[in-house]
């Protein structure tokens, strides 16, 4: 569902844009009739051309991903403060079991995380395939004696870079559309001018309305590019950047485990890298750890 305040700022921003732009236009004596008359036709040309070029430039997988990304732009970041608490608690449990009993104690949990008594305590995290794969693959490296912290960090960083690159396909695609929209608006405006020139024998009032309608194309291209598509693309990139930190925390805690730090120190290192607005305090983590259920 759509959540609260921070996640709904995109709606508020669009309402302010529409109100200020068209409100100012009407208050200054502008006639909305010309815009509303030309808008369906100009919108069809500009929106259709932008959509068509986007389809031509992307695979079906990327197009579907862009649709999911648009939903994410309105929903906001995936991970909240409580999710980071869950992640720290999970990694603390895994680190403690590993340091106390070795990899044999974790084998069943790592090989079958969907039925693990440890992972099942955190259902939201359990549903994120990349997070689960990142955790389990990292501990599998330990089972294969790949325990050099610097080499392991390099391997994990490559996985994070690939995942983040794939997550940014949709924002980059929308940015490309945003860059193209002003030029597409000019194309629509030129077609409007061509139409006007073919009616040069019409009265000045008619020609004025036709030229005004043609200019709606230029206006619409710039308006959509810089006040709608570009903000959505930037918001998506910010969301993906923020969500990517969740996986970086997994890396930081795992590398701390390889360095031989205690579970508490490992999770404290991870906690320190959580965004400030989502970061639980040291004492909140201590309290959360006391309330952790013991895995069967």
């Amino acid at each position: 569902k759509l959540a609260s305040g921070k996640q709904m700022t995109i709606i508020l921003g669009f309402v302010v844009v529409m109100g200020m732009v068209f409100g100012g236009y009407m208050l200054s004596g502008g006639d909305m009739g010309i815009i509303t008359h030309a808008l369906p036709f100009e919108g069809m040309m500009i929106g259709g051309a932008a959509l068509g070029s986007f389809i031509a430039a992307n695979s079906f997988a990327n197009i579907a991903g862009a649709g999911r990304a648009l939903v994410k732009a309105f929903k906001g970041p995936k991970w909240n403060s409580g999710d980071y608490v869950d992640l720290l608690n999970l990694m603390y449990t895994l680190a403690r079991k590993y340091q106390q009993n070795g990899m044999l104690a974790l084998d069943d949990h790592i090989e079958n995380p969907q039925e693990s008594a440890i992972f099942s305590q955190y259902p939201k995290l359990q549903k994120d395939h990349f997070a689960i794969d990142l955790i389990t693959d990292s501990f599998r490296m330990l089972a294969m004696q790949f325990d050099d912290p610097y080499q392991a960090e390099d391997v994990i960083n490559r996985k994070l870079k690939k995942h983040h690159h794939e997550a940014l396909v949709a924002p980059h695609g929308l940015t490309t559309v945003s860059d193209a929209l002003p030029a597409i608006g000019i194309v629509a405006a030129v077609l409007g001018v061509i139409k006007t020139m073919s009616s040069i024998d019409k009265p000045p009032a008619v020609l004025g309305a036709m030229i005004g309608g043609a200019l709606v194309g230029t206006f619409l291209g710039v308006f959509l590019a810089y006040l709608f598509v570009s903000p959505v693309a930037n918001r998506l990139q910010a969301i993906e950047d923020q969500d990517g930190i969740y996986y970086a925390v997994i890396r930081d805690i795992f590398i701390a485990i390889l360095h031989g730090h205690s579970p508490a120190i490992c999770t404290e290192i991870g906690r320190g890298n959580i965004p400030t607005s989502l970061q639980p305090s040291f004492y909140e983590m201590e309290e959360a750890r006391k309330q952790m259920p013991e895995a069967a």
Side-chain angles (χ1 to χ4, degrees):
K1 64 180 180 179
L2 294 180
S4 57
K6 288 184 180 179
Q7 299 174 358
M8 293 300 293
T9 54
I10 187 170
I11 300 293
L12 176 60
F14 288 161
V15 169
V16 171
V17 165
M18 297 291 288
M20 293 297 102
V21 171
F22 291 106
Y25 172 75
M26 289 188 291
L27 289 174
S28 65
D31 181 9
M32 284 297 295
I34 296 176
I35 295 178
T36 55
H37 175 74
L39 192 59
F41 312 107
E42 301 290 336
M44 177 181 175
M45 288 187 285
I46 295 170
L51 179 61
S53 61
F54 180 79
I55 293 173
N58 291 276
S59 65
F60 284 112
N62 288 346
I63 294 169
R68 293 190 295 270
L70 288 175
V71 174
K72 191 171 187 178
F74 287 86
K75 293 179 67 175
K78 179 176 183 178
W79 307 110
N80 56 40
S81 180
D83 297 325
Y84 277 101
V85 172
D86 288 345
L87 175 62
L88 295 178
N89 282 343
L90 169 64
M91 296 301 291
Y92 175 85
T93 301
L94 296 175
R96 185 180 61 181
K97 284 189 172 294
Y98 167 71
Q99 293 186 358
Q100 290 179 348
N101 303 307
M103 276 304 301
L104 285 177
L106 290 178
D107 191 58
D108 290 340
H109 302 287
I110 297 303
E111 295 306 322
N112 195 4
Q114 297 306 317
E115 297 181 9
S116 164
I118 296 177
F119 286 95
S120 61
Q121 296 172 25
Y122 312 103
K124 183 176 178 180
L125 193 159
Q126 195 178 33
K127 293 177 182 178
D128 189 293
H129 297 297
F130 182 73
I132 293 298
D133 289 345
L134 185 63
I135 294 171
T136 55
D137 288 348
S138 297
F139 277 96
R140 284 192 188 102
M141 288 194 292
L142 283 177
M144 294 184 291
Q145 306 301 314
F146 190 81
D147 55 0
D148 181 278
Y150 302 104
Q151 291 180 345
E153 185 173 11
D154 182 62
V155 170
I156 296 174
N157 279 337
R158 291 174 186 271
K159 293 181 180 179
L160 295 181
K161 183 178 180 180
K162 183 188 79 168
H163 180 267
H164 197 56
H165 174 77
E166 293 171 350
L168 292 180
V169 168
H172 289 167
L174 289 176
T175 299
T176 302
V177 171
S178 174
D179 292 340
L181 273 171
I184 296 174
I186 293 174
V187 170
V190 169
L191 289 174
V193 171
I194 293 173
K195 175 187 171 184
T196 302
M197 295 304 292
S198 67
S199 304
I200 198 68
D201 58 335
K202 302 292 183 182
V206 174
L207 291 176
M210 294 178 71
I211 293 173
L215 292 176
V216 170
T218 303
F219 159 76
L220 190 60
V222 175
F223 180 74
L224 291 176
Y226 297 114
L227 300 180
F228 280 85
V229 180
S230 181
V232 170
N234 291 335
R235 180 176 175 84
L236 274 175
Q237 176 149 356
I239 288 172
E240 295 297 351
D241 288 342
Q242 179 173 315
D243 282 349
I245 297 174
Y246 191 84
Y247 309 114
V249 170
I250 296 174
R251 175 202 60 199
D252 296 337
I253 295 175
F254 180 74
I255 299 304
I257 293 172
L258 292 184
H259 279 291
H261 297 303
S262 70
I265 293 297
C266 293
T267 52
E268 180 61 19
I269 290 172
R271 188 188 71 85
N273 293 328
I274 296 173
T276 303
S277 61
L278 301 174
Q279 185 182 60
S281 70
F282 176 83
Y283 299 105
E284 287 173 339
M285 283 310 307
E286 278 199 336
E287 186 62 28
R289 199 166 294 144
K290 292 176 183 178
Q291 298 175 5
M292 286 171 54
E294 287 296 326

